[in-house]
Amino acid sequence: MISLLCITIISLTLAGSTYCQSASPSSLTVKTELGGNATLPCRLGSIEDLFFGKVTWTKVAKDESENEDVLVDMGLHKRTYGNFENRASLVDLDVGDASLVLTEVSMEDMGRYRCEIIDGMDDIVQEVILEVENGLTEGVVFPYFPHHGRYNMNFDDAVQTCASQDAAVASYDQLLEAWKDGLDWCNAGWLSDGTVQYPITKPRHPCGGANSSPGLRSYGRRNKQMSRFDVFCYASKLKGHFYWLVQPDRLSYDEAVQACRDDNAEIAKVGHIYAAWKLEAYDRCDAGWLADGSVRYPISRPRKNCSPTEAAVRFVGFPDKKVKSYGVYCFRADQ
């Protein structure tokens, strides 16, 4: 067996991952954020090499009898296993790159992985350690439903909807951490693993029963095309400036969009207002238009006539876009 030899310390960013390599093959480490993607490097000896063999990726346990199969690729036959199904793939064997790409990374994905390449000539074994950082320190989970009402999105709709609000569908781990931080929501929403769940901190009759325990209520995995639910989105730390645009008059939706453009910005998205509220303690008791046609305002200091009992992003609704009853929140991205 021929192992990949490491000569110097290297730091690279690859497909959302950072990896560091030292003189020992076993010390190769990839770091990524919770809910993100990770690329675990593994290559043939030369990009000119032709591949006619087998690639196996395994998650290695302390007791090797408990190892988990991740992926097997034998050219025409490819398979992923267990929790890695539909989340694992290879970069490009045609150019000698057997690196493993994992999407929607969870805390359970942390650990040691082994790549084995058998091509009939030179066999290669490479081990990589995956470390997952809790992205909630740099983001916020929020529940979302569109203007046409609750329980109207299949999984693909949910993915597109979160993306349209500068966010991504939240992972189970992200929702769990948000629940620990106090998120309580009695409407079920999609998560990135295809399950449908909702977080309850204060058990009550309409939300799983008054005598039930606090926690995440799960509907399990649902048909991604046929089932309809809300969604939990995850917004990362802002890369720009979220602000209330001071205007002499209240605006219609179209006027709000134009006012932000005139200020060299864009009308803010729901992901922006949640990130500003949670991560920057943004607080303003003025209801303003957002890009999805909703009207909301962020309160980090509860007080009378604003949000008397809790810090929250308050939701006014999806009013008629022609009414001139609200201001606007804008967002200017970093240059």
Side-chain angles (χ1 to χ4, degrees), residues 20-305:
C20 305
Q21 185 171 338
S22 67
S24 168
S26 63
S27 65
L28 181 65
T29 299
V30 170
K31 296 181 180 180
T32 192
E33 286 190 356
L34 180 66
N37 299 338
T39 300
L40 312 187
C42 186
R43 297 188 62 91
L44 293 169
S46 168
I47 61 173
E48 287 81 20
D49 289 347
L50 296 178
F51 176 74
F52 299 104
K54 176 181 179 182
V55 175
T56 302
W57 274 94
T58 307
K59 189 178 183 199
V60 181
K62 289 183 179 179
D63 181 349
E64 295 235 358
S65 66
E66 298 179 358
N67 287 357
E68 294 179 63
D69 293 327
V70 177
L71 176 149
V72 172
D73 190 316
M74 294 186 291
L76 295 177
H77 175 73
K78 301 174 180 144
R79 182 177 177 185
T80 53
Y81 296 86
N83 186 46
F84 300 98
E85 188 173 359
N86 300 322
R87 295 197 302 122
S89 61
L90 299 184
V91 171
D92 193 347
L93 271 180
D94 290 341
V95 295
D97 195 340
S99 299
L100 178 71
V101 178
L102 292 179
T103 62
E104 300 172 0
V105 171
S106 70
M107 300 303 290
E108 288 75 19
D109 291 333
M110 283 197 299
R112 184 181 297 273
Y113 291 77
R114 180 179 297 149
C115 169
E116 297 178 79
I117 301 176
I118 302 172
D119 69 353
M121 295 293 292
D122 295 330
D123 298 342
I124 294 173
V125 175
Q126 171 74 60
E127 291 197 347
V128 185
I129 297 171
L130 176 62
E131 295 183 359
V132 182
E133 299 173 343
N134 188 341
L136 274 181
T137 59
E138 297 294 327
V140 56
V141 171
F142 61 94
Y144 189 85
F145 64 91
H147 65 89
H148 46 273
R150 295 190 182 280
Y151 290 13
N152 269 294
M153 293 181 290
N154 66 21
F155 183 79
D156 291 340
D157 296 332
V159 171
Q160 294 173 8
T161 296
C162 287
S164 72
Q165 299 309 314
D166 200 37
V169 179
S171 69
Y172 171 86
D173 298 281
Q174 289 167 340
L175 184 63
L176 180 63
E177 290 302 314
W179 167 75
K180 291 178 181 178
D181 196 40
L183 180 62
D184 183 284
W185 196 254
C186 196
N187 292 285
W190 290 104
L191 296 180
S192 61
D193 61 1
T195 63
V196 175
Q197 309 197 37
Y198 61 100
I200 296 297
T201 59
K202 301 173 183 177
R204 50 204 184 273
H205 177 68
C207 308
N211 297 323
S212 60
S213 299
L216 299 187
R217 307 278 192 264
S218 177
Y219 288 6
R221 295 185 184 275
R222 294 290 172 160
N223 186 303
K224 290 184 175 182
Q225 300 305 316
M226 301 299 294
S227 299
R228 297 289 190 274
F229 294 96
D230 294 347
V231 64
F232 289 96
C233 300
Y234 173 81
S236 300
K237 184 177 180 180
L238 291 175
K239 296 180 180 179
H241 177 51
F242 172 88
Y243 63 101
W244 169 264
L245 181 62
V246 177
Q247 291 283 291
D249 302 308
R250 297 303 184 185
L251 307 169
S252 69
Y253 175 80
D254 289 343
E255 290 171 339
V257 172
Q258 188 59 49
C260 289
R261 288 175 181 166
D262 292 343
D263 202 48
N264 297 316
E266 62 178 301
I267 187 170
K269 298 175 180 178
V270 177
H272 297 150
I273 195 171
Y274 270 96
W277 163 73
K278 185 68 174 179
L279 305 175
E280 299 178 2
Y282 194 97
D283 181 284
R284 190 170 187 104
C285 196
D286 289 293
W289 290 106
L290 296 176
D292 66 338
S294 67
V295 172
R296 308 174 195 244
Y297 59 98
I299 298 298
S300 60
R301 295 179 293 104
R303 56 198 183 276
K304 185 178 180 180
N305 300 325

